[in-house]
Amino acid sequence: MSEWCQNKKCPEKKNQNQIRGSKGAKYYQSNKSSGYYKYWCSMGCRDQWWNEHKDTCMNAVGYIDKQILPLDDAWFVEYRYDWRTEEHNRYHLINKLKGVDQLTREQAQTPEDIRQDYGWSTRPNSEAKPLAIQLGLAS
Ligand SMILES: [Zn+2]
């Protein structure tokens, strides 16, 4: 892995911080890759790289056909903020085929969420269907 931004046009950004070299022989150089973008310095460089290499990437990864998710299995826990009620944090267990059920905070959140007091956080989708089964909404 390189520490430098993988977009070969990175120096063409011509940012002040990219200038190096001594008088008479100055040049723009690539930025270092960022922790967040990993291989690139910025979203712009990632986009530029992607536009040039997307076909190569797709050929390497392989193409897949249409994917489906049956509605029967597609449960999720949703957080909503409701300013009208005394308890603003509302949680719902949702399946678009079967409707919506109100949850308590203990049902909607992991013990870790509650400990951290992350009101907006909800259980991952993988726990939504087991919860629906537990509450007698799904089998
Ligand atoms: Zn860059």
Side-chain angles (χ1 to χ4, degrees):
M1 199 169 129
S2 168
E3 64 178 319
W4 299 100
C5 176
Q6 292 300 293
N7 176 22
K8 65 187 177 194
K9 292 180 175 167
C10 191
E12 293 175 27
K13 291 151 76 99
K14 301 183 195 75
N15 288 331
Q16 192 67 29
N17 70 306
Q18 294 177 297
I19 297 176
R20 293 291 187 283
S22 48
K23 204 173 176 192
K26 288 197 179 288
Y27 56 88
Y28 292 103
Q29 70 174 23
S30 297
N31 287 320
K32 294 235 169 119
S33 49
S34 82
Y36 183 79
Y37 293 105
K38 194 166 180 183
Y39 305 115
W40 308 274
C41 71
S42 60
M43 194 195 300
C45 277
R46 186 181 66 183
D47 287 350
Q48 222 166 18
W49 185 94
W50 173 247
N51 284 334
E52 192 179 331
H53 297 293
K54 60 191 169 206
D55 295 339
T56 306
C57 291
M58 285 308 299
N59 287 329
V61 172
Y63 295 82
I64 60 173
D65 235 321
K66 172 172 69 185
Q67 304 292 296
I68 62 162
L69 175 65
L71 262 73
D72 272 330
D73 294 327
W75 291 89
F76 57 99
V77 180
E78 190 178 81
Y79 163 75
R80 287 183 200 152
Y81 184 86
D82 190 343
W83 55 269
R84 293 164 302 184
T85 55
E86 194 184 336
E87 175 52 58
H88 296 307
N89 293 334
R90 296 296 193 117
Y91 304 95
H92 299 96
L93 182 61
I94 300 171
N95 179 302
K96 291 281 162 68
L97 203 60
K98 295 176 177 163
V100 172
D101 243 64
Q102 177 124 10
L103 295 176
T104 65
R105 185 173 186 188
E106 286 68 29
Q107 291 169 327
Q109 297 195 304
T110 65
E112 181 62 16
D113 292 333
I114 293 170
R115 202 171 325 123
Q116 301 272 8
D117 202 24
Y118 293 152
W120 44 266
S121 186
T122 60
R123 289 185 186 278
N125 287 344
S126 60
E127 292 181 24
K129 192 176 182 195
L131 186 59
I133 293 168
Q134 190 192 322
L135 297 173
L137 301 167
S139 51

